[in-house]
Amino acid sequence: MEKPHHTVSPLIGILLKNIDEGYKLKAWHGPNLKGSLRGLSLEEVCWRPGPGRHNIWEIVIHVAYWKYVVRRRILGEKRGSFPETGSNWFLRPVRKSIDFWNEDLRLLDEMHRGMRETIEGLVPSDLSRCPGGSRVDIQSTVAGIAAHDIYHAGQIQLIKRLYGRK
């Protein structure tokens, strides 16, 4: 059954633009999340800047997880449908291979797409609602996930510099 199509309100349109700029569209602030991941080697994504520090690969799964959480909260779904066991931070690499890295990049894209489609389906009155499991309204949550991508894009840029990439 197809969902009825509705016109996206201007505010929801701005929120969608913000999450897209933080994730994959050209933006004034510098590299977005996808841009910060472009052209990395397997060695770079696995490298840790210090003991107990996250590598780029772990950041990618962390970001994918929080996109899943935003979607799940908005829809009121129960926990447990993320493809990986656990929450928030996931040890990587489990298997050090370019194929596994590419699978996790596809997971990130899939989680972004699902979250974006959920946000696109909102109406303005939804934005002030606090979804179950959260004390933050949907508008702030969506604005926050855009900032989350940008924060981690900057973190990835820093890790690349520490690794020795120019």
Side-chain angles (χ1 to χ4, degrees):
M1 181 170 169
E2 214 174 305
K3 288 171 38 177
H5 181 71
H6 73 278
T7 303
V8 174
S9 77
L11 179 53
I12 292 171
I14 290 168
L15 291 169
L16 288 167
K17 187 175 187 310
N18 286 343
I19 65 167
D20 286 342
E21 282 182 358
Y23 187 62
K24 65 180 181 178
L25 296 182
K26 185 175 174 126
W28 69 270
H29 54 72
N32 55 44
L33 185 66
K34 293 284 285 190
S36 72
L37 298 171
R38 197 171 299 120
L40 294 174
S41 70
L42 191 56
E43 292 305 315
E44 287 174 298
V45 301
C46 294
W47 181 77
R48 292 180 191 283
R53 300 294 180 200
H54 295 293
N55 61 32
I56 291 171
W57 196 337
E58 289 170 345
I59 294 168
V60 164
I61 297 301
H62 167 79
V63 173
Y65 175 78
W66 282 99
K67 290 173 181 292
Y68 150 80
V69 169
V70 168
R71 181 186 153 279
R72 181 183 55 76
R73 284 184 181 170
I74 291 171
L75 295 175
E77 296 176 346
K78 292 188 184 294
R79 293 175 182 221
S81 58
F82 190 68
E84 298 292 322
T85 302
S87 63
N88 202 15
W89 290 102
F90 303 83
L91 183 64
R92 288 296 191 269
V94 175
R95 292 179 311 221
K96 189 174 178 180
S97 81
I98 198 71
D99 289 339
F100 195 49
W101 165 242
N102 286 329
E103 278 180 39
D104 283 345
L105 288 175
R106 281 189 292 278
L107 176 65
L108 176 63
D109 281 339
E110 180 185 325
M111 293 299 113
H112 181 81
R113 194 170 32 261
M115 178 194 69
R116 191 187 192 290
E117 287 170 2
T118 298
I119 294 164
E120 197 171 28
L122 296 173
V123 295
S125 59
D126 291 327
L127 297 176
S128 60
R129 179 173 54 85
C130 286
S134 179
R135 293 175 295 226
V136 179
D137 66 33
I138 289 174
Q139 181 174 336
S140 297
T141 301
V142 173
I145 200 67
H148 190 246
D149 278 0
I150 295 165
Y151 169 82
H152 285 298
Q155 185 182 27
I156 290 166
Q157 291 296 100
L158 178 59
I159 292 171
K160 287 165 38 176
R161 289 288 170 101
L162 291 171
Y163 179 81
R165 184 181 256 250
K166 299 289 181 217

